[in-house]
Amino acid sequence: MITVEDARALLFDLVEQQPIEMVPLAQAAGRVLAQDIAATRDQPPFAASSMDGYAVKSSEVEPHAMFKIVGESAAGRRYEGQVGARQAVRIFTGAPVPEGADFVVIQEDTERREDLLTITDNPGAKDNIRPSGVDFKAGTKITSPRLLRPEDLALMAAMNVAVVPVARKPSFALISTGDELVMPGEVPGPDQIIASNTFGLKALLEKAGADVRILPIARDTISSLEAAFGLAQGADLVVTIGGASVGDYDLVSEASTGLGMERSFYKIRMRPGKPLMAGRLGDKPMVGLPGNPVSAMVCGYLFLAPMVFRMLGIEQAVPSFRNAALTAPLTENGPREHYMRAVLDETGIRACDDQDSSLLSVLAHANALLVRDPNDPARAAGEIVRYLPI
Ligand code: AMP
Ligand code: MG
């Protein structure tokens, strides 16, 4: 059995960086920028007023000074003339500061009578002018790779970038395996349960940035599994769920090996999630997840989501753990790394009472995976532990 870290490194070796595609700016949120982009203009493209007021010469600004108003500069419609001695131009926020003016007296510090302006209050030293290019200049770059946030979209729009080079979303095909499974909404037989893993994993992987297809459930026969693998064609990564253990009906290994799967590894020294298998099927990576719902989701967080990030070119693909103080003690850990379902609040973190890997209700209640090293000794309340937010 290999460690979680080694497993992740081997899984990363199976995947490649995604090609680049161009998407309209409005669809670029949450995508990963795949090439540097540069502004094609200065912002603002001219010295602009930051206030509503009057543009004048700074040398003439003092309390009780009087000016003749000679025109108006509005946002989108500049004053074309020059501002001369003892002249003022009515100006609004975002409007170009006219030639000859280098100060905007805010409206609140003035009194206007027809075209006569008087400064009534001390306007201070701030000129209320945004210099040309103060936000960014033509050529200013946004560097890749970068997960694009709403703020980045606003910035790119201001830079006049209308289409954005992003990493194409990796496509995942998810295959549930098991005679006992039916899809949500179907009527299960007396010995059947509902396939749940694919839905949790689809949501998790889409959040990470993948396109995900849920394929029809494969039955526990070689031919059914082969048919499912056939349907997965075209996916960048095939994920099977269940059938990966040592039971008589655990046929994923046999079926995939029969189709020429080259195994990279099988089994990880962790809990839950031990019987994970990975390899290459044709030219595509394949991951066989354990079927227990919590195991499948934990493996999704620890391995599949990082693989998505890796494929998208996000440098920090490895999950980063945080620290918190225990609010309840923990017993000694066994020989495998343990990812305990836990609840984190402002007082600290505590492991959930029942750690059985079939319990989705516990997983759904949890908001963190508390990580225990192999053979970690018993821990008292107050001690600091590592966790992964979920
Ligand atoms: P297996 O690895 O096929 O032996 O599955 C282990 C356990 O997980 C069994 O209790 C299965 O019924 C359950 N299981 C397998 N696949 C799924 C699935 N897609 N959704 C929910 N439970 C599953
Ligand atoms: Mg099964």
Side-chain angles (χ1 to χ4, degrees):
M1 273 194 282
I2 61 175
T3 63
V4 168
E5 207 180 317
D6 289 345
R8 197 152 38 225
L10 288 170
L11 289 166
F12 282 176
D13 285 346
L14 292 174
V15 298
E16 274 163 29
Q17 181 133 353
Q18 288 292 105
I20 295 172
E21 68 178 2
M22 303 299 290
V23 296
L25 177 62
Q27 279 153 37
R31 304 294 299 270
V32 175
L33 186 69
Q35 271 171 353
D36 296 356
I37 54 171
T40 57
R41 65 202 318 272
D42 294 354
Q43 175 61 22
F46 42 76
S49 179
S50 64
M51 300 296 275
D52 294 327
Y54 295 87
V56 295
K57 292 183 183 301
S58 59
S59 56
E60 298 175 349
V61 171
E62 56 183 352
H64 312 301
M66 294 171 86
F67 302 83
K68 182 171 187 309
I69 300 165
V70 293
E72 178 184 287
S73 183
R77 213 168 350 96
R78 70 172 58 215
Y79 177 73
E80 300 284 358
Q82 282 268 341
V83 176
R86 293 286 153 199
Q87 291 186 337
V89 164
R90 176 73 170 126
I91 195 165
F92 302 98
T93 305
V97 176
E99 301 268 319
D102 59 354
F103 196 98
V104 173
V105 184
I106 67 170
Q107 197 167 313
E108 291 84 341
D109 292 343
T110 66
E111 211 173 84
R112 175 177 184 167
R113 232 171 255 153
E114 315 247 298
D115 60 358
L116 201 65
L117 181 77
T118 308
I119 296 181
T120 50
D121 287 291
N122 185 356
K126 189 167 165 278
D127 64 9
N128 301 308
I129 293 174
R130 298 180 182 134
S132 158
V134 67
D135 194 359
F136 54 81
K137 295 215 168 11
T140 300
K141 281 192 174 152
I142 302 179
T143 52
S144 64
R146 179 176 179 80
L147 180 61
L148 295 172
R149 303 175 307 144
E151 296 75 18
D152 297 312
L153 263 69
L155 177 59
M156 288 190 293
M159 289 178 163
N160 203 12
V161 174
V163 284
V164 186
V166 295
R168 199 173 75 200
K169 290 184 173 208
S171 63
F172 277 56
L174 303 184
I175 305 174
S176 283
T177 73
D179 289 342
E180 76 281 27
L181 302 174
V182 298
M183 289 295 263
E186 290 181 22
V187 180
D191 299 336
Q192 290 189 302
I193 60 168
I194 318 299
S196 55
N197 290 338
T198 33
F199 292 87
L201 287 169
K202 181 173 191 283
L204 191 159
L205 294 171
E206 283 176 347
K207 195 166 163 205
D211 262 336
V212 184
R213 271 189 301 151
I214 295 179
L215 297 186
I217 295 164
R219 298 303 159 197
D220 288 321
T221 64
I222 297 290
S223 62
S224 181
L225 284 165
E226 283 177 353
F229 280 119
L231 291 174
Q233 294 246 334
D236 294 316
L237 202 148
V238 183
V239 180
T240 61
I241 301 155
S245 215
V246 294
D248 291 351
Y249 299 100
D250 291 333
L251 299 174
V252 168
S253 172
E254 190 181 329
S256 53
T257 309
L259 293 171
M261 199 261 273
E262 280 171 50
R263 182 179 286 179
S264 165
F265 66 88
Y266 175 46
K267 289 193 180 166
I268 304 174
R269 199 181 309 129
M270 68 182 285
R271 214 168 105 198
K274 179 172 92 167
L276 187 144
M277 115 187 27
R280 198 174 279 286
L281 192 57
D283 60 345
K284 299 292 185 209
M286 175 214 150
V287 177
L289 295 185
N292 265 317
V294 176
S295 315
M297 286 298 280
V298 168
C299 289
Y301 278 108
L302 292 179
F303 304 116
L304 297 185
M307 288 171 91
V308 175
F309 298 143
R310 177 82 173 188
M311 294 167 97
L312 291 172
I314 296 179
E315 283 159 13
Q316 189 57 41
V318 177
S320 52
F321 294 97
R322 300 179 191 175
N323 292 327
L326 285 170
T327 56
L330 292 171
T331 56
E332 174 190 8
N333 187 31
R336 286 187 274 154
E337 213 168 297
H338 194 179
Y339 290 83
M340 306 181 82
R341 277 65 73 202
V343 175
L344 176 81
D345 63 20
E346 50 300 336
T347 65
I349 192 167
R350 64 180 298 144
C352 301
D353 290 336
D354 197 336
Q355 293 289 326
D356 186 283
S357 62
S358 69
L359 303 179
L360 278 178
S361 54
V362 175
L363 182 65
H365 176 67
N367 60 3
L369 295 173
L370 193 168
V371 193
R372 308 286 308 277
D373 289 336
N375 305 311
D376 191 39
R379 299 276 172 192
E383 285 195 67
I384 301 297
V385 292
R386 283 190 308 146
Y387 73 92
L388 185 69
I390 61 171

